[in-house]
Amino acid sequence: MAGEIYRAFHERSVKDREGFWAEQARLIHWQKPFQKVLDFSRPPFAKWFVGGETNLCYNAVDRHLAARGDQKALVYLSTETDEEKPYTYRELHAEVNRMAAIMQALGVTKGDRVLVYMPMIAEAAFAILACARIGAVHSVVFGGFAAGSLATRIDDARPKLMVTSDAGMRGGKAVPYKHLVDESLRVAQFPPEKVLMVNRGLDKDMKLVAGRDVDYATLRAQHMDAQVPVTWLESNEPSYILYTSGTTGKPKGVQRDVGGYATALAASMKHIYMGNAGETMFTTSDIGWVVGHSYIIYGPLIAGITTIMYEGTPIRPDAGIWWKIVQDNKASVMFSAPTAIRVLKKQDPAFLKKYDVSSLRHLFLAGEPLDEPTHRWISDALGIPVIDHYWQTETGWPMLSAVPGVEKTPIKFGSPSFPVFGYDLRLFREADASEAGADEKAVVAVVPPLPPGCLSTLWGDDERFVKVYFSMFSTKQVYSSFDWGIRDKDGYFFILGRTDDVINVAGHRLGTREIEEAVQSHPNVAEVAVVGVADQLKGQLPVAFAVVKDVARIATPEARAEHEKEVMATVDKLLGAIARPGRVHFVTALPKTRSGKLLRRSIQALAEGRDPGDLTTIEDPGALEQIKAALGGA
Ligand code: AMP
């Protein structure tokens, strides 16, 4: 069982919600106090800290100026360009004010959306914080996404401004952004009026579009002494949109509030991550993901911590780089993902011993299942608790975790421990929504209201929010995580994979439907099925089975290989390389039921070398034989 102290803490958080969260809300600054802690009069919509006014940028930056203005707030570190540039809270404040003034000069006002499509450079953090300062709603799109993904997100959010850069860098090579940006703006129906370009000098061929593209350095020079007043926002106004994949091809715009998010992050920094003001946190994610939003930018800064913004891989210049960063910056909290640890595990273990990492108190891992051998390996290697914790883009902060700031409970390998305070998290049987017993696989769900910090709705679509997340059971309106889980008799949870067609590649969530749509856009593809196949390193890999229109194009093994490359390039172009299938197999039919439903689970089972299950409903058994043959021939 969870320790007694933590159990009582958690129980209070769900039984006396108002009392508990009113206390946590004291961790942040409120310009105007809230009148009501929770308004749950329109379930499942929860409003936290109603009537209160605050600001994320003020809490992350301004509030620290008096006590820690000269402390480092953000350290930009790039092993790609060999740069290291620290910014004190005072310097960060100045940069954010300049960026905010530029945005205002470009016509951005409260409530306008700003799309941030940036590599891991300090200017990305300035842009995010500047939006928060002036009450603009940021929508950060991961730099690895290509023009098609970008255009979909542009059209959903309809941004007034886009902030971008000439290029990112990966593995020592520049990854130009500008042509993707131009292409996305060409196909988008609602392109922004202006594009603010942070020119890193990495793409010599880059050309600005007159009247639309403006140069950041030029404008910054005009706003050096800018002082932009904070726009105070009612706690429930939107702070940002972050798109995530689902079962349909259309990404979901997770919308976050202001006061609830700031409070939840502050509470998590204290009780879960145990980060104290003046210390350093190193989170290895990217600002394009929720972990980057919550634990590279807002969480550590709200807590007065120095955050590391790292542009680079875990193994360049060598596999000791992360531990060197921990040592040099005396990081006490580190947050990473299982795939990265599996990458390091394949390297020389001596790299782990080369640096003094004694400043580290905990390593937190999330984003995908953490297998027991990897959990064990990294725990032994570091000699500190390695905390697997589970959450989603939607929740914004952990749902299952050990909470060492409240009580140090023993870690079980492979388990993200217990429900986090604020979450009335349960396991419900899929068949009848009844509560599952110990050691019984069921759906991980949260009985609403969702705690502060979680999504307040989907951007512009309240109906979809209710339909997607709260309609799994007809008899109970609960938030479905779409994950299977199990709780052992000691109360420890284990996550057993998704209940839907979403796959997880190296901690990145991808919708198989989205990839299918991209593959299908190739003129010679009539139909396609994409499934997630278990992968030793990345957890899962997308694998495609495509029916071609003109079989002459795959007549020889060489032609087939060439065609496979071409289809992969189509995915790269539309979605980005992260969504590229590991293999594209060509077949002439896909296995379906007589009613035309794709037998995805059977295809996936075959691709993983498992039994395809019940096939009594199959329309054409020959289609399955083709899948087998295609895999056999791989
Ligand atoms: P994302 O919203 O992209 O962060 O993806 C969230 C999904 O990643 C969850 O619904 C889970 O399927 C998976 N996930 C996140 N953290 C964990 C974890 N600690 N263990 C197992 N799966 C996880």
Side-chain angles (χ1 to χ4, degrees):
M1 280 295 172
E4 290 302 313
I5 302 169
Y6 178 66
R7 207 144 42 120
F9 188 82
H10 178 267
E11 197 169 298
R12 175 163 178 246
S13 77
V14 292
K15 292 220 165 116
D16 172 21
R17 285 198 166 91
E18 307 222 358
F20 179 87
W21 285 108
E23 268 168 32
Q24 303 303 319
R26 286 194 211 120
L27 293 167
I28 67 156
H29 169 86
W30 293 90
Q31 182 69 6
K32 186 176 157 208
F34 44 87
Q35 285 122 37
K36 201 169 167 33
V37 176
L38 168 68
D39 173 359
F40 194 49
S41 57
R42 192 167 69 102
F45 297 90
K47 287 185 166 186
W48 288 97
F49 311 117
V50 182
E53 286 184 6
T54 185
N55 180 288
L56 280 165
C57 178
Y58 182 88
N59 275 287
V61 185
D62 303 52
R63 195 167 60 122
H64 303 301
L65 292 178
R68 52 190 74 258
D70 296 323
Q71 178 200 309
K72 287 179 209 167
L74 184 145
V75 178
Y76 164 62
L77 259 172
S78 176
T79 48
E80 299 289 350
T81 57
D82 273 332
E83 272 173 277
E84 175 165 356
K85 188 158 170 34
Y87 296 84
T88 63
Y89 272 96
R90 207 178 312 287
E91 287 163 340
L92 180 62
H93 182 256
E95 293 295 353
V96 171
N97 272 282
R98 288 167 195 148
M99 185 67 92
I102 294 172
M103 287 183 178
Q104 287 185 330
L106 294 172
V108 178
T109 57
K110 182 183 159 185
D112 285 340
R113 275 78 60 209
V114 174
L115 193 140
V116 178
Y117 182 62
M118 298 273 268
M120 284 287 286
I121 55 176
E123 288 78 3
F126 306 160
I128 288 170
L129 291 163
C131 287
R133 185 171 199 84
I134 61 174
V137 178
H138 58 75
S139 165
V140 183
V141 177
F142 175 59
F145 280 129
S149 302
L150 199 47
T152 321
R153 287 153 177 77
I154 290 171
D155 284 340
D156 195 71
R158 304 189 184 187
K160 181 118 187 190
L161 172 73
M162 179 157 166
V163 187
T164 185
S165 181
D166 55 338
M169 291 272 291
R170 182 122 188 121
K173 279 206 263 331
V175 184
Y177 281 16
K178 187 60 169 51
H179 68 284
L180 298 176
V181 168
D182 289 343
E183 169 70 7
S184 73
L185 296 184
R186 199 179 55 74
V187 296
Q189 285 182 49
F190 304 100
E193 289 153 29
K194 296 281 176 197
V195 176
L196 180 61
M197 291 294 311
V198 178
N199 191 350
R200 309 175 73 188
L202 296 174
D203 181 3
K204 300 279 177 265
D205 303 327
M206 186 186 75
K207 289 196 183 47
L208 297 188
V209 175
R212 187 195 74 187
D213 300 350
V214 288
D215 177 55
Y216 169 70
T218 312
L219 290 177
R220 180 176 173 273
Q222 294 166 14
H223 294 280
M224 286 308 281
D225 303 319
Q227 292 285 338
V228 176
V230 164
T231 299
W232 299 106
L233 300 171
E234 198 277 334
S235 176
N236 294 279
E237 291 190 76
S239 57
Y240 70 73
I241 311 168
L242 181 55
Y243 288 91
T244 187
S245 300
T247 42
T248 65
K250 187 175 183 273
K252 297 177 288 198
V254 164
Q255 178 179 320
R256 201 87 67 206
D257 70 0
V258 180
Y261 186 50
T263 301
L265 291 183
S268 69
M269 287 308 302
K270 180 175 171 192
H271 304 303
I272 301 176
Y273 299 100
M274 291 180 70
N276 304 310
E279 295 180 347
T280 298
M281 179 164 184
F282 177 27
T283 299
T284 68
S285 184
D286 186 285
I287 48 138
W289 308 119
V290 69
V291 176
H293 284 62
S294 294
Y295 297 110
I296 294 177
I297 311 254
Y298 290 120
L301 293 177
I302 286 173
I305 285 170
T306 305
T307 188
I308 307 278
M309 197 161 174
Y310 173 64
E311 182 183 42
T313 72
I315 49 169
R316 246 178 60 100
D318 61 47
I321 181 64
W322 280 3
W323 314 117
K324 179 172 176 352
I325 292 172
V326 168
Q327 169 189 279
D328 293 354
N329 295 276
K330 298 198 170 42
S332 61
V333 192
M334 186 168 170
F335 185 156
S336 190
T339 292
I341 305 301
R342 287 191 291 264
V343 167
L344 292 178
K345 196 170 149 208
K346 286 169 62 175
Q347 308 285 323
D348 185 349
F351 282 119
L352 258 162
K353 301 270 168 258
K354 203 170 146 196
Y355 299 98
D356 175 8
V357 296
S358 58
S359 56
L360 267 189
R361 258 193 309 268
H362 296 106
L363 168 65
F364 291 86
L365 298 174
E368 56 180 314
L370 173 59
D371 56 288
E372 200 179 318
T374 304
H375 199 171
R376 211 177 268 285
W377 176 79
I378 190 69
S379 301
D380 290 348
L382 289 175
I384 54 167
V386 173
I387 298 184
D388 175 18
H389 61 333
Y390 158 85
W391 50 294
Q392 310 178 303
T393 305
E394 285 84 349
T395 65
W397 65 293
M399 302 159 80
L400 287 171
S401 183
V403 185
V406 175
E407 186 180 3
K408 290 177 183 34
T409 46
I411 299 289
K412 274 199 193 187
F413 291 118
S415 163
S417 297
F418 318 115
V420 165
F421 50 91
Y423 291 90
D424 188 359
L425 187 143
R426 320 259 189 102
L427 292 168
F428 291 118
R429 296 189 179 104
E430 197 189 23
D432 61 0
S434 57
E435 213 163 333
D439 293 325
E440 188 184 341
K441 180 177 165 180
V443 178
V444 177
V446 181
V447 177
L450 293 175
C454 294
L455 80 170
S456 31
T457 188
L458 289 176
W459 177 253
D461 206 341
D462 283 355
E463 210 179 302
R464 190 174 177 210
F465 168 70
V466 180
K467 202 165 154 236
V468 169
Y469 297 107
F470 291 90
S471 310
M472 186 174 226
F473 305 112
S474 55
T475 50
K476 253 194 194 112
Q477 193 178 51
V478 294
Y479 171 85
S480 171
S481 67
F482 298 102
D483 281 304
W484 295 112
I486 202 164
R487 183 183 43 226
D488 72 9
K489 55 186 184 330
D490 299 327
Y492 284 77
F493 281 70
F494 294 80
I495 297 295
L496 306 174
R498 299 279 302 190
T499 66
D500 58 10
D501 292 326
V502 164
I503 62 173
N504 195 317
V505 182
H508 305 323
R509 195 207 293 196
L510 298 169
T512 46
R513 196 61 224 133
E514 236 176 315
I515 306 175
E516 283 171 0
E517 282 177 16
V519 171
Q520 210 151 352
S521 73
H522 187 284
N524 197 34
V525 174
E527 217 185 346
V528 63
V530 171
V531 296
V533 177
D535 181 79
Q536 282 264 317
L537 187 67
K538 296 184 171 181
Q540 281 186 308
L541 261 191
V543 171
F545 296 87
V547 177
V548 288
K549 292 178 187 162
D550 176 8
V551 286
R553 300 226 19 215
I554 52 166
T556 64
E558 295 74 32
R560 200 170 259 265
E562 202 45 47
H563 204 43
E564 181 173 8
K565 265 197 228 146
E566 210 181 293
V567 173
M568 286 180 177
T570 310
V571 178
D572 284 12
K573 190 159 172 271
L574 278 173
L575 300 179
I578 58 162
R580 181 196 305 156
R583 286 297 313 264
V584 181
H585 297 290
F586 298 111
V587 290
T588 58
L590 291 171
K592 290 184 187 162
T593 62
R594 278 175 215 115
S595 57
K597 229 175 140 277
L598 204 58
L599 286 164
R600 279 169 194 285
R601 303 252 172 259
S602 304
I603 303 175
Q604 186 190 26
L606 284 179
E608 291 180 347
R610 291 184 285 112
D611 175 9
D614 178 17
L615 296 170
T616 47
T617 60
I618 196 165
E619 165 80 19
D620 170 12
L624 210 66
E625 289 308 315
Q626 281 202 41
I627 301 274
K628 278 190 202 158
L631 288 163

